[in-house]
Amino acid sequence: MNKKLVISCTLLLFTVAVTAQVNFDVTIAEKKRIVQGSEIFQKSDDEIFANAMLWAINEGPVRKEEILDFDFTKHELAMIYNLKKDGDVAYSCRLTLRASSGRLFFLVNEIKIQGGFFGSFQNFDKLNPEKKAKHKDIINEFERLNNLKIQELFEYVSNNNPKITNWRNVCLGKIDKGMSVDEAILVYGKPINVQSEGNKEQYMFSSFVYVYIEDGLITAYVN
């Protein structure tokens, strides 16, 4: 068989495997309901974690510092993780991600359901699906929404190719000329404002942090 055809088929199979519908069930660990699992990617741990971090920044807080915890050297992060139904938050959880040996591991725990008085959150662990059919339906709906969100995460990690030029600086929370837009976002979080003119861009991360980009690379900055 033609070598190029073999490579193309292999890549196609890998893409199908990653983008196929994921299915992770709620399990019990130390009397708490959790969801955990992993996926393997044809990327380095730095690239996997960079994508996971970029997804978390875009998914959640405006400021990177509002993610609960993160460690670039250990390739770990934790964040508040909301699942929405019909546009409204239905569940609030804690999502922990870790990249290791070409694999992205995830843990969803501290799950709470919105539905109490005045929209307050209730403890997911108190559900009794063995005795109440409604509680079983709630768990099934959570699994459905969570699987969709985890699939979104996996597809982002698989398909996005972050430009990493200086991982050491990213770990130190520093930027420099020649680094990429992705690295600036990893250091500062989601930009407040972006202005573009041709191949030049100005990223505003706060009232005193500006990064100037040309052809996707940092040419100057004020911080």
Side-chain angles (χ1 to χ4, degrees):
M1 184 181 291
N2 185 285
K3 186 176 181 180
K4 290 184 178 179
L5 181 59
V6 172
I7 293 172
S8 299
C9 291
T10 302
L11 290 174
L12 177 62
L13 288 171
F14 173 72
T15 302
V16 170
V18 171
T19 58
Q21 180 67 48
V22 300
N23 185 28
F24 297 99
D25 296 332
V26 172
T27 58
I28 304 290
E30 298 180 355
K31 299 182 179 180
K32 303 289 184 181
R33 286 191 170 90
I34 67 169
V35 184
Q36 59 185 339
S38 67
E39 180 62 89
I40 192 167
F41 298 94
Q42 300 299 315
K43 297 178 185 286
S44 69
D45 289 349
D46 288 350
E47 291 173 319
I48 293 171
F49 185 72
N51 270 347
M53 192 74 180
L54 289 167
W55 178 86
I57 290 170
N58 291 320
E59 175 71 16
V62 172
R63 290 172 53 81
K64 187 185 72 175
E65 290 77 7
E66 290 177 72
I67 293 176
L68 296 177
D69 191 23
F70 59 90
D71 189 319
F72 283 108
T73 58
K74 293 182 179 179
H75 299 125
E76 296 177 353
L77 74 87
M79 66 180 287
I80 295 298
Y81 176 68
N82 292 324
L83 297 174
K84 295 182 179 182
K85 181 181 179 182
D86 300 326
D88 295 323
V89 174
Y91 303 91
S92 177
C93 331
R94 179 187 179 98
L95 171 65
T96 303
L97 299 173
R98 177 173 59 88
S100 177
S101 302
R103 188 178 289 272
L104 181 64
F105 297 85
F106 77 89
L107 169 66
V108 179
N109 63 350
E110 299 179 14
I111 307 166
K112 296 178 182 178
I113 318 160
Q114 188 171 43
F117 292 109
F118 306 109
S120 62
F121 285 92
Q122 299 175 314
N123 195 330
F124 195 70
D125 298 323
K126 292 183 178 180
L127 296 178
N128 191 343
E130 289 76 21
K131 293 185 178 180
K132 297 184 178 181
K134 183 179 179 180
H135 288 188
K136 183 175 179 59
D137 291 340
I138 290 172
I139 292 175
N140 288 340
E141 179 67 0
F142 170 81
E143 288 179 339
R144 184 184 72 81
L145 293 173
N146 187 66
N147 282 328
L148 288 173
K149 187 61 69 174
I150 294 298
Q151 181 176 12
E152 177 189 299
L153 165 62
F154 285 173
E155 288 180 355
Y156 185 93
V157 174
S158 176
N159 297 329
N160 191 51
N161 295 305
K163 188 171 180 60
I164 305 299
T165 64
N166 193 328
W167 187 252
R168 182 175 181 277
N169 267 14
V170 171
C171 293
L172 294 173
K174 297 168 58 178
I175 64 168
D176 203 351
K177 294 179 182 179
M179 293 175 69
S180 68
V181 175
D182 285 338
E183 289 171 313
I185 293 173
L186 288 170
V187 170
Y188 292 122
K190 190 185 299 183
I192 297 171
N193 180 265
V194 179
Q195 295 184 9
S196 302
E197 184 177 344
N199 64 341
K200 297 181 180 180
E201 296 175 304
Q202 174 188 281
Y203 280 65
M204 176 184 176
F205 291 96
S206 72
S207 58
F208 54 87
V209 177
Y210 291 82
V211 176
Y212 301 91
I213 306 291
E214 186 170 343
D215 293 327
L217 299 178
I218 298 171
T219 57
Y221 55 91
V222 178
N223 59 10

